[in-house]
Amino acid sequence: MPAAPRVRVTGKGLPATLMLNSVHDPATYYEGALKAHRALRGSRLVTVTGGGDHGRYRNGNACVDGIVDAYLLDGTAPERDVACAAGPLPAPG
């Protein structure tokens, strides 16, 4: 069976890519986010610090929600990487 072609992803020619990752996300390791961020030229990384895990968008974090909403609705990315404190998750209900 032939090997799959190796593709080098650089992000060259793309608009800013917004990436969101929690430092303590067990599903998507932060180290992997940092590696992908370095590989994608012009990307912006929003790092959720101080707790939390997967699924931080639209889960009661005004810092994260504001950045992601601006990107999705207006195509506006932050000028540089941003850190948002995790904050408590809302109670289920």
Side-chain angles (χ1 to χ4, degrees), residues 1-23:
M1 180 189 310
R6 187 171 183 99
V7 177
R8 183 165 185 238
V9 177
T10 65
K12 185 178 179 181
L14 295 177
T17 301
L18 186 68
M19 303 173 72
L20 172 64
N21 213 104
S22 174
V23 172

Side-chain angles (χ1 to χ4, degrees), residues 31-73:
E31 294 78 10
L34 291 174
K35 186 175 179 181
H37 176 47
R38 285 190 296 268
L40 289 173
R41 293 181 203 157
S43 64
R44 302 295 185 272
L45 178 61
V46 179
T47 299
V48 181
T49 62
D53 55 21
H54 201 71
R56 301 310 298 185
Y57 175 60
R58 303 297 293 161
N59 211 354
N61 188 314
C63 177
V64 169
D65 292 352
I67 293 167
V68 176
D69 285 347
Y71 183 77
L72 293 175
L73 298 173

